[in-house]
Amino acid sequence: MGERKLMRKNIIYIFIITLIMLISFVNLGYANSGPTFWHGYPSLEILSIEENSPIVVENEDLIFDFSKDEYLEYGDYSISGLVTAIYRMSNQSSEDQTVQMAFPIISSLRRFNPEEIDIKIDNKSIPFDIYIGDEVGNIRNRKDDQEDDRLDFEQILKSINREVYLPQNYDLNEIGTLYTYNVSRTSEEDVNFVIEYTYDREKTRLITKGFNGYWEDNGEIRISSWIHDKEILEIYVIGEDIDFNIRVFTDGELSKVTDAYSYELKKDDISLEDYLKKSIVEYKDFDRYNDYLADNQLLNLVYKGLDDIIEHNVVNLWIDELFSLDDLDRIILLIYEVNFSKESGREVSVSYLSRGTMDRTSTYDPLYTFDYLLNPAERWAGFTNLNIEIRPPKSNPYIVDSSIDLFKNEDGNYIGNFESLPDKDLSFTLYSKEEITFMDKVKRKVDNLAYALPFIIAIGVPFLISLIKKIIRVRNYKE
C-alpha cells in the first residue's frame, strides 16, 4: 500500500511539473515579445507666456481620438491617439492685444515631429517657433497625489532661452589649442592608433573627437581609435598645454607594435566659441533639426551641456557627450502669437499625437494610461466650460480608471462636462475589458512563469527523470 501511495504521489508531481513546463513554454514567445512597461509622458494645455494675460477661455473642447488605426501605430510598445484642444478665447479689455502663447510638448528630439502638430487660429493653420527647454526627470503617475506631479511652468518658461546662452563655468573667448591628426594606415591591416598623456586637472581641460577607446591608470591617460582607412582625430586643449605620446598597434591588447601607418599633425589656436560652433556644423546628426528649430537652439543646448559637464568636474570629455541630445526627454515649447481686437473673441486649436504609458506588469492584457495636465490653464484671466470626449480604440474600448468623473454615451465614447477647471488633472486608463478581473491577474502570474522556464527546466527535468526511473524500478521489482 505504501508503494502505491508513493507511486500516486510521484505521478502527481510529474503531472504538475510537466504542466508548468508546458504553460511556460507556450507563453514564452508572448512573454519575451516586448517590455511589460513602456513609459509615456503627459500632454499639456496651452499657456500664456505673460503671467497677467487679459485673455479669458470661455470654452474648451478636449477630444482624445483613438478610433483610427493610423493614430494608434505611433505609440511603439504603447498606443497613441490624436488629441485636439479647441479653445474659444476672448479679449475682454478695451484695447487690442497681441498675446504670445506656448504649447509645451514633452518628447525626445528624436521622436519629435513638427508635422504631427497643427495649430490653428479661426480654423486656419499658422506657423510656430520651436524652442527646446530643460530635460524632464521621471514624472510618475500617482493618482492619489497629483499635486506632487505638477510641472513648474515658471521654470519651463525660464528654461527657454531665445538669446545665446551665457555660460556660467567657462569663458567662450578663451583660446585653446586644437590638435588635428589626419591618420592613415599604409597596409591592408587595420591599426589601433593610441595617444598617451598626463595632465594637471586643475590647469587643463580637454575635448576629444573621433576616439573610441579610453583607459586611465595612475594618472596616465590613453585614448585610441581603430583606423580602417583614414580618420581625422581631434584633441582640443584649454589651459596649460600637454605633451602627447603616440603608439600604434595591430591589436586591442596593445602588444603588437606596428609602423604601417602615417599621420599629419596640424596645430591651431582657436577660441572655445569657434571650436564649438565648428563642431556643431560638422555634426551631421544635427542637420535634421536645422529646418525647424528656432535660432540658437542647438548652440544653446551645446553651451549649456558643456556648462553642466564642467559643473560636475568633468575636464576630459568626448565631444559626442555634448551631442547626446536625441533620446533625452525634455520640454519642447511651441510659441506663436495671436492678435485679438478689443472686446472680441477668436478660436484657437491645437492637434497632436499623444503617446500613453503601457503597463502589463499585473494584468495579462496591457493597460494604457494617458495623462493630461490641465493646470497650465490657470494662467489665463479666466476659464469656464471644459468639455472632454474620449473615443476609445476598438481593441481597448473601456476606461477602467479615471481621475475625473466621465460617463459613457450610446456611441461608446466617454464624456465629461465641467463649468470650470476640475480640481485634478486628467488621467484615464484604457483596457480591453470593462473591468480588471481576478483571472486577468492570475493569467499575468502564469505568464510570468515563462521567465522562470530555464530554471524550471534545469531543476524539473532531472527531477522528472529521477521520478520516472524510480517508478520503473518499483514496477520491475513488483513484477
Side-chain angles (χ1 to χ4, degrees):
M1 290 293 292
E3 290 177 354
R4 289 182 180 178
K5 288 183 178 180
L6 179 62
M7 286 183 63
R8 282 198 297 268
K9 186 183 293 186
N10 289 340
I11 291 172
I12 292 173
Y13 286 157
I14 293 172
F15 175 77
I16 292 173
I17 292 172
T18 304
L19 182 62
I20 291 175
M21 291 173 63
L22 285 173
I23 292 174
S24 301
F25 183 76
V26 168
N27 284 283
L28 183 61
Y30 174 78
N32 291 333
S33 62
T36 57
F37 188 88
W38 190 260
H39 187 57
Y41 279 111
S43 302
L44 300 92
E45 289 270 87
I46 64 172
L47 65 149
S48 169
I49 291 182
E50 299 176 6
E51 191 167 357
N52 298 312
S53 171
I55 304 302
V56 170
V57 178
E58 297 180 343
N59 186 87
E60 178 187 357
D61 294 327
L62 178 59
I63 303 168
F64 292 81
D65 191 354
F66 304 94
S67 62
K68 297 182 180 179
D69 292 339
E70 59 264 34
Y71 301 155
L72 299 176
E73 65 186 16
Y74 285 91
D76 290 337
Y77 292 105
S78 184
I79 61 173
S80 59
L82 183 69
V83 180
T84 302
I86 305 171
Y87 305 84
R88 183 63 186 175
M89 296 180 165
S90 66
N91 172 22
Q92 299 184 353
S93 71
S94 58
E95 298 178 355
D96 294 346
Q97 299 285 339
T98 297
V99 181
Q100 277 198 323
M101 299 184 186
F103 175 55
I105 291 277
I106 299 177
S107 175
S108 65
L109 280 178
R110 185 183 299 278
R111 298 192 60 164
F112 176 71
N113 182 1
E115 295 181 0
E116 296 176 358
I117 301 165
D118 187 18
I119 299 177
K120 293 180 178 179
I121 308 296
D122 295 332
N123 210 33
K124 182 179 180 181
S125 297
I126 62 168
F128 46 83
D129 293 325
I130 302 173
Y131 292 87
I132 301 174
D134 287 338
E135 181 184 352
V136 177
N138 292 328
I139 300 176
R140 291 170 291 176
N141 299 317
R142 291 183 291 182
K143 306 281 177 58
D144 297 329
D145 194 6
Q146 286 282 334
E147 291 291 333
D148 287 349
D149 288 334
R150 291 195 171 195
L151 297 178
D152 187 340
F153 292 100
E154 295 301 325
Q155 291 301 115
I156 288 176
L157 293 177
K158 288 179 181 178
S159 74
I160 304 300
N161 199 337
R162 303 188 194 189
E163 305 300 326
V164 174
Y165 177 84
L166 297 178
Q168 304 299 310
N169 298 300
Y170 61 91
D171 183 0
L172 283 169
N173 295 318
E174 185 173 4
I175 301 299
T177 302
L178 176 60
Y179 294 82
T180 303
Y181 296 86
N182 197 328
V183 188
S184 302
R185 66 180 188 185
T186 57
S187 69
E188 294 298 320
E189 189 174 17
D190 294 343
V191 297
N192 191 7
F193 190 82
V194 178
I195 297 180
E196 301 173 333
Y197 59 91
T198 59
Y199 70 106
D200 187 336
R201 291 176 176 268
E202 300 298 325
K203 299 178 180 179
T204 303
R205 292 173 178 165
L206 295 92
I207 301 176
T208 61
K209 179 181 178 182
F211 296 90
N212 48 38
Y214 178 90
W215 300 266
E216 183 172 359
D217 184 20
N218 294 324
E220 182 175 289
I221 310 295
R222 293 176 183 168
I223 55 177
S224 66
S225 176
W226 280 97
I227 310 300
H228 304 294
D229 185 17
K230 297 180 179 179
E231 297 289 344
I232 297 177
L233 310 175
E234 292 181 355
I235 304 176
Y236 182 62
V237 180
I238 306 171
E240 186 178 275
D241 205 2
I242 55 180
D243 295 324
F244 298 109
N245 179 40
I246 295 174
R247 302 171 67 196
V248 183
F249 306 86
T250 57
D251 64 330
E253 292 74 26
L254 312 185
S255 61
K256 300 177 181 178
V257 179
T258 182
D259 58 2
Y261 70 96
S262 66
Y263 76 90
E264 294 179 1
L265 172 61
K266 183 181 178 184
K267 290 176 62 175
D268 296 292
D269 292 333
I270 180 174
S271 71
L272 179 56
E273 179 179 17
D274 289 340
Y275 174 69
L276 293 175
K277 286 182 176 179
K278 177 186 81 74
S279 299
I280 289 173
V281 171
E282 293 173 351
Y283 193 70
K284 300 301 183 185
D285 283 355
F286 273 2
D287 288 347
R288 70 172 78 102
Y289 308 130
N290 289 327
D291 292 339
Y292 64 78
L293 285 181
D295 292 341
N296 300 326
Q297 292 304 288
L298 293 176
L299 190 67
N300 285 351
L301 284 175
V302 172
Y303 283 2
K304 189 176 187 305
L306 182 58
D307 226 358
D308 294 341
I309 287 172
I310 292 176
E311 187 173 337
H312 288 85
N313 297 318
V314 178
V315 295
N316 192 340
L317 62 101
W318 295 358
I319 192 70
D320 286 355
E321 293 180 59
L322 296 178
F323 299 138
S324 300
L325 309 171
D326 286 354
D327 295 315
L328 300 177
D329 289 305
R330 58 177 69 248
I331 292 288
I332 299 175
L333 212 61
L334 316 182
I335 297 179
Y336 53 97
E337 289 186 347
V338 182
N339 296 316
F340 290 84
S341 300
K342 61 182 180 180
E343 299 177 347
S344 68
R346 304 200 73 173
E347 183 180 277
V348 180
S349 67
V350 180
S351 296
Y352 57 96
L353 287 170
S354 178
R355 298 170 175 88
T357 293
M358 183 276 290
D359 184 2
R360 59 183 185 92
T361 56
S362 59
T363 56
Y364 186 77
D365 291 336
L367 296 161
Y368 298 106
T369 299
F370 290 80
D371 297 292
Y372 190 91
L373 304 187
L374 296 164
N375 56 88
E378 295 171 353
R379 293 178 62 90
W380 299 108
F383 188 102
T384 56
N385 300 320
L386 171 64
N387 306 300
I388 299 173
E389 181 180 359
I390 301 170
R391 303 167 185 169
K394 294 178 182 179
S395 57
N396 297 82
Y398 302 102
I399 291 180
V400 293
D401 190 17
S402 175
S403 62
I404 297 175
D405 291 335
L406 304 170
F407 69 90
K408 191 174 185 179
N409 65 15
E410 58 185 12
D411 296 325
N413 299 329
Y414 289 83
I415 307 296
N417 303 110
F418 309 90
E419 295 181 356
S420 60
L421 277 176
D423 294 333
K424 297 180 179 180
D425 290 320
L426 173 62
S427 178
F428 61 90
T429 301
L430 298 168
Y431 193 54
S432 58
K433 302 181 181 65
E434 196 163 5
E435 62 180 15
I436 302 172
T437 65
F438 174 74
M439 285 306 299
D440 291 333
K441 297 179 179 180
V442 170
K443 286 175 69 177
R444 174 73 262 180
K445 295 291 185 183
V446 172
D447 190 59
N448 286 338
L449 289 173
Y451 295 106
L453 181 59
F455 176 78
I456 293 172
I457 292 175
I459 301 298
V461 170
F463 181 61
L464 195 64
I465 293 173
S466 176
L467 285 176
I468 293 172
K469 287 181 177 179
K470 193 170 185 180
I471 292 171
I472 292 173
R473 284 199 302 268
V474 170
R475 289 187 60 186
N476 289 339
Y477 176 79
K478 287 184 65 177
E479 293 174 356

